[in-house]
Amino acid sequence: MIIINQMKRILITYLSIVFATFATANICEAQTKPIVVSDAKIKALIKKMTLEEKIGMLHANAKFSSAGVKRLGIPQLMSDDGPLGVREEVRSDWSPAGLTTDSATFFPNGSAVAATWNPALANRFGVALGEETRARHKDVMLAPGINITRTPLNGRTYEYYSEDPYLNAQLVVAAIKGIQTQGVAACVKHYAVNNQETERRKVNAVVDERTLQEIYLPAFKAAITKGGAWTIMTAYNKFRGVYCAENEYLLNNILRKQWGFQGVVMSDWGGTHSSVNSAKNGLDVEMGTDKPYDDYYFAKPLLDSVKMGFVSEKLIDEKVYHILWLMYHTNMNAGKPAGSINTPAHSKVAYDIASEAIVLLKNDKNLLPLNTSRIKSLAVIGDNATQVFHKGGIGAGVKARYEVTNLQGLKNRFGNKVDIEFAQGYKPDFKQSYTDEKKEEANKPNAEMIAQAVALAKTKDAAIVFIGGNRDYESEGHDRTTLALPFGEQQLVDAVSAVNPNTIVVMVGGAPYDLNAIKNNNHTVVWQWYNGAEEGNALADVLSGKVNPSGKMPFTFPAKLDDSPAHALHTFPYDNLTADYKEGLLVGYRWFDTKNIEPLYPFGYGLSYTNYNYTSAVTNKTAYRQGEKIMVTVTVKNNGKYSGKEVVQLYVAKPNSKVMRPEKELKAFAKVWVVAGKQATVTIPVNVSDLAFFNDKTMKWEVEKGEYKLLVAASSKDIRQTKAITIN
Ligand code: BGC
């Protein structure tokens, strides 16, 4: 007995070690050759430069570059968007340059990456994106975009990651480390509190200090202090009345002094508003779009400001120092890799992310995975089955070398076994410039197309209806005005479901939509993202059961818009151009759980073809001190026929706190592979320091003593095991 117990303990310790490192496993961060940046060398170079040459480096000289100094061997600094793949080359007016050499791999969108809850995948995404950026001779990748999902309507929700600062931090740190292995700087954006597109260049975001520190900054902080990002992009908006590009508190105090940022602060395109203030308050490089480059705030006006003594040359030297420091990590790093683009390996990365991102929302009739001995014919319906999603979204568009559409993926996987026919069902038509009447008109159902779809659906064993948004409808530059499904899609779903009892709804989107009717009336619902070049293949593999879905929602779906905090409190989009973040800490599930509001789909939600039992949660101790790690071990049993990956989520609650706390907060997670019928033991570490709240009186993080509850969960609303611990 004693020996058995001892063996058990040894096994548990071993498993703990194995699983404790799960989340960070395979995170590739090392350059093949370590980069040595010589302070003396940089200073010597600066000494040789004229003031004009220095100023030349501080502002754009084309859409995506700033000048070097040729005579001193300093190259231009080349940047490029974007989060979904390296953007195509543009002309001076932003229209495509029309080259044949600038296609790239289209990777799944940000919220898709977040839905994988898999930092190792985010890291592979980063490496692949870095390789493509390097191969295109760019030094700065303007990604990842990591702003928090404050409102489900934000047009860039699909580009960003999630509503949770911890989840964002884990994923973006992994992505940044990956990008930078290639001698390419990640540029985290948009710093900070940039949570809407409506009047994004004017709106003033007003956020209390604790909320800033606990919700809006953690992913940025992690990006700099843990991810080591070499560049950061300021946001368009004002923060507490001051534009982010000249915000002393955000740039000089927090970013440089507190986080020790050594790299380059660049403005968003056209997001600079002054020469002297921006220079003094922390901006290094002004990027932009319009007006002659010599007229930029950081061009002639800054030169004049130095000459007139408003800005010291020493300050200019500091900025040039940051740029040269960055260059020694990127274009002036002789050991940088060569990069590669459009490779099969990159397609595999896109596929792996896509297949782990897809979320199974409902499967009540166990229609999925599709049984092809029963389902011999499929009606594939809906424009999103044939639509491509690489283009659009302004900054985040990619000229994809290829994109396997959803229909093509189904044909690739089922083609020879199943008879597949397509009907378009609806016609998407959206431009932000349309009048309200025209937008309303485009949202009306198309009776003729619906009739064709219904006729087709009647003749097939099952119907798959592809609906959702697209890259014009969800985009930078505007927020959505409603959660409602566009283009008459609801009517299409209803009509097809009425005639074919085996109707599967596949929703394509990057942000929450109103799925109330579908959740109530349909038995089979799958969430597909703007899921990259391999999206069709990944979806078909999920529908066929080759891949067991393991994606989990990275944001809460409200049952109605007014249930969401910013909308419930009428602080979106703004009052008098001020967005007052009155909900404070209660963003996303923090709001819904604390206020007891039932969401349509909770944060962290997602089904699988199997089901998992969580048992025997234990902690390695019951009481902890500052600086320690809490090890939470739980056994996950796979009760079904399908092996799969489960995301074990660990939320923490602080009963009787002396300060207001959200009902619970995500503090750790791990994605584990569990073989059908077997179980896996997972140990999840939580730093005691991560239980801290930000004390806005002392301006310090503080871990309260006393009891905490650790909630081991399958989603924010599905708590499976609870353990109490004490902090002494
Ligand atoms: C976007 C940035 C983007 C930049 C350059 C801006 O409009 O906000 O995210 O990197 O354009 O395309």
Side-chain angles (χ1 to χ4, degrees):
M1 190 63 192
I2 295 173
I3 293 178
I4 291 176
N5 276 343
Q6 240 173 6
M7 279 172 62
K8 262 193 195 158
R9 223 173 298 131
I10 292 169
L11 188 67
I12 287 184
T13 318
Y14 168 73
L15 286 172
S16 310
I17 295 164
V18 171
F19 288 114
T21 53
F22 189 90
T24 46
N26 305 320
I27 303 286
C28 173
E29 44 188 295
Q31 277 279 143
T32 17
K33 280 188 206 147
I35 305 159
V36 184
V37 179
S38 155
D39 174 69
K41 223 169 164 177
I42 295 181
K43 286 186 176 146
L45 254 184
I46 295 175
K47 274 219 172 91
K48 292 184 191 151
M49 293 167 70
T50 65
L51 178 61
E52 283 73 11
E53 284 169 337
K54 294 173 192 172
I55 298 283
M57 293 179 74
L58 306 189
H59 61 89
N61 66 351
K63 297 276 178 217
F64 285 107
S65 60
S66 48
V69 183
K70 215 166 175 192
R71 67 175 186 95
L72 298 174
I74 302 170
Q76 296 200 88
L77 188 71
M78 305 295 298
S79 56
D80 213 347
D81 286 304
L84 281 63
V86 195
R87 177 185 187 144
E88 69 192 309
E89 303 295 332
V90 293
R91 292 184 208 280
S92 54
D93 59 358
W94 290 101
S95 58
L99 307 184
T100 51
T101 49
D102 59 351
S103 68
T105 303
F106 165 35
F107 293 101
N109 64 285
S111 49
V113 176
T116 68
W117 291 62
N118 188 338
L121 275 181
N123 180 250
R124 286 177 56 203
F125 158 70
V127 174
L129 183 61
E131 284 172 342
E132 301 223 339
T133 312
R134 190 28 76 221
R136 284 272 301 282
H137 310 292
K138 311 294 178 190
D139 313 308
V140 180
M141 166 39 64
L142 305 173
I146 64 175
N147 296 95
I148 289 281
T149 308
R150 174 179 182 245
T151 159
L153 297 184
N154 182 356
R156 298 185 90 165
T157 303
Y158 81 93
E159 230 185 288
Y160 299 148
Y161 281 66
S162 85
E163 68 185 26
D164 184 79
Y166 179 81
L167 179 57
N168 274 15
Q170 299 310 302
L171 296 166
V172 304
V173 164
I176 291 164
K177 285 181 174 174
I179 293 170
Q180 296 193 162
T181 57
Q182 301 307 310
V184 168
C187 183
V188 279
K189 64 191 191 184
H190 309 86
Y191 183 67
V193 204
N194 178 205
N195 309 99
Q196 65 186 62
E197 291 298 285
T198 310
E199 293 293 5
R200 62 177 175 166
R201 289 168 186 269
K202 292 188 187 148
V203 71
N204 175 26
V206 176
V207 187
D208 68 81
E209 191 60 29
R210 189 174 160 209
T211 301
L212 178 73
Q213 299 285 349
E214 292 190 23
I215 304 290
Y216 294 99
L217 292 189
F220 283 103
K221 182 179 181 183
I224 304 304
T225 60
K226 297 207 172 97
W230 298 330
T231 67
I232 191 166
M233 187 191 295
T234 58
Y236 280 130
N237 52 286
K238 291 179 183 168
F239 169 71
R240 294 186 187 152
V242 181
Y243 281 112
C244 288
E246 55 187 60
N247 198 298
E248 184 181 22
Y249 185 55
L250 289 177
L251 301 179
N252 282 346
N253 292 8
I254 295 180
L255 181 66
R256 291 270 178 214
K257 288 202 191 101
Q258 294 177 24
W259 300 346
F261 181 62
Q262 289 181 279
V264 169
V265 178
M266 59 170 71
S267 73
D268 200 342
W269 269 235
T272 309
H273 299 268
S274 62
S275 305
V276 177
N277 276 349
S278 302
K280 287 192 168 164
N281 293 334
L283 186 70
D284 293 317
V285 178
E286 177 188 9
M287 295 305 291
T289 303
D290 304 319
K291 71 179 177 186
Y293 295 109
D294 281 347
D295 293 348
Y296 273 36
Y297 292 104
F298 269 27
K300 193 158 179 309
L302 184 58
L303 182 67
D304 293 343
S305 306
V306 178
K307 286 184 177 159
M308 288 187 286
F310 296 123
V311 174
S312 69
E313 188 158 352
K314 185 168 161 281
L315 187 62
I316 301 297
D317 288 354
E318 280 174 25
K319 296 179 193 303
V320 174
Y321 190 104
H322 299 152
I323 299 169
L324 290 171
W325 181 91
L326 164 70
M327 285 184 167
Y328 277 112
H329 286 84
T330 55
N331 52 6
M332 287 171 71
N333 167 12
K336 64 181 177 297
S340 56
I341 192 155
N342 288 318
T343 65
H346 294 174
S347 295
K348 177 77 167 72
V349 173
Y351 171 84
D352 288 347
I353 296 169
S355 57
E356 278 200 30
I358 292 167
V359 184
L360 180 63
L361 291 175
K362 200 171 173 191
N363 194 22
D364 278 6
K365 273 193 18 178
N366 289 324
L367 183 58
L368 296 177
L370 278 175
N371 178 349
T372 48
S373 55
R374 215 164 50 79
I375 307 283
K376 297 274 182 210
S377 61
L378 274 179
V380 175
I381 291 166
D383 186 78
N384 272 350
T386 53
Q387 185 70 248
V388 290
F389 303 107
H390 55 271
K391 287 195 216 128
I394 306 185
V398 188
K399 179 167 149 190
R401 186 174 64 81
Y402 74 93
E403 177 178 348
V404 178
T405 64
N406 289 305
L407 177 63
Q408 191 55 51
L410 291 169
K411 286 187 173 164
N412 292 347
R413 296 311 199 245
F414 294 106
N416 55 3
K417 282 181 270 168
V418 180
D419 153 43
I420 297 176
E421 270 188 81
F422 171 71
Q424 196 185 353
Y426 68 92
K427 212 170 163 184
D429 184 20
F430 179 89
K431 283 205 172 66
Q432 181 52 15
S433 54
Y434 283 176
T435 60
D436 289 350
E437 291 72 41
K438 182 138 194 213
K439 285 179 186 157
E440 214 181 299
E441 191 55 36
N443 281 333
K444 291 199 177 129
N446 182 318
E448 201 181 316
M449 284 185 164
I450 292 183
Q452 284 163 1
V454 164
L456 181 69
K458 277 183 184 163
T459 65
K460 306 289 177 194
D461 296 334
I464 310 183
V465 190
F466 288 86
I467 53 164
N470 59 45
R471 297 289 310 285
D472 294 323
Y473 191 66
E474 289 178 45
S475 168
E476 178 184 337
H478 67 90
D479 296 318
R480 283 182 296 155
T481 53
T482 168
L483 293 175
L485 290 169
F487 317 132
E489 294 172 359
Q490 184 65 56
Q491 289 84 347
L492 174 69
V493 170
D494 293 344
V496 172
S497 311
V499 298
N500 192 316
N502 292 328
T503 294
I504 299 159
V505 178
V506 177
M507 174 67 202
V508 181
Y513 280 77
D514 178 358
L515 299 185
N516 278 286
I518 287 173
K519 186 183 174 194
N520 286 335
N521 307 333
N522 287 83
H523 45 71
T524 314
V525 189
V526 177
W527 188 275
Q528 165 72 309
W529 307 91
Y530 305 125
N531 223 353
E534 288 285 327
E535 68 202 344
N537 289 333
L539 181 84
D541 286 344
V542 165
L543 299 185
S544 75
K546 183 172 175 223
V547 171
N548 188 355
S550 65
K552 305 277 179 182
M553 276 301 167
F555 30 60
T556 307
F557 279 56
K560 55 182 194 304
L561 186 59
D562 279 349
D563 288 349
S564 285
H567 302 272
L569 301 173
H570 308 292
T571 62
F572 175 84
Y574 44 71
D575 183 16
N576 212 357
L577 283 178
T578 292
D580 185 355
Y581 288 32
K582 286 185 190 148
E583 70 283 1
L585 299 169
L586 301 184
V587 175
Y589 66 91
R590 287 167 167 80
W591 167 268
F592 286 81
D593 291 354
T594 308
K595 301 280 179 192
N596 258 317
I597 301 167
E598 197 57 38
L600 185 71
Y601 290 112
F603 174 78
Y605 175 83
L607 303 173
S608 143
Y609 295 148
T610 186
N611 60 77
Y612 303 97
N613 263 5
Y614 292 29
T615 56
S616 345
V618 287
T619 51
N620 58 334
K621 301 201 290 178
T622 51
Y624 298 83
R625 288 174 191 287
Q626 303 276 354
E628 289 188 330
K629 258 191 194 351
I630 307 161
M631 302 302 248
V632 188
T633 301
V634 64
T635 299
V636 181
K637 168 110 206 285
N638 181 337
N639 293 315
K641 303 197 295 271
Y642 296 91
S643 299
K645 289 183 180 171
E646 171 69 338
V647 178
V648 180
Q649 302 164 36
L650 198 129
Y651 297 84
V652 175
K654 173 80 190 84
N656 309 315
S657 174
K658 66 177 184 187
V659 289
M660 194 287 286
R661 298 249 190 176
E663 175 78 15
K664 61 169 110 54
E665 298 185 272
L666 184 74
K667 293 294 174 190
F669 63 87
K671 195 163 190 177
V672 273
W673 169 254
V674 197
V675 173
K678 297 270 193 290
Q679 61 185 40
T681 299
V682 52
T683 293
I684 310 177
V686 184
N687 295 320
V688 168
S689 57
D690 286 343
L691 306 183
F693 74 95
F694 188 82
N695 186 329
D696 52 10
K697 310 262 162 4
T698 60
M699 293 293 277
K700 288 203 170 88
W701 289 92
E702 182 179 326
V703 180
E704 247 185 301
K705 291 186 177 153
E707 197 202 335
Y708 288 77
K709 291 225 157 70
L710 308 178
L711 315 168
V712 184
S715 83
S716 59
K717 296 289 277 183
D718 187 2
I719 311 302
R720 301 291 183 85
Q721 298 265 300
T722 302
K723 295 307 291 178
I725 54 137
T726 309
I727 304 294
N728 292 322

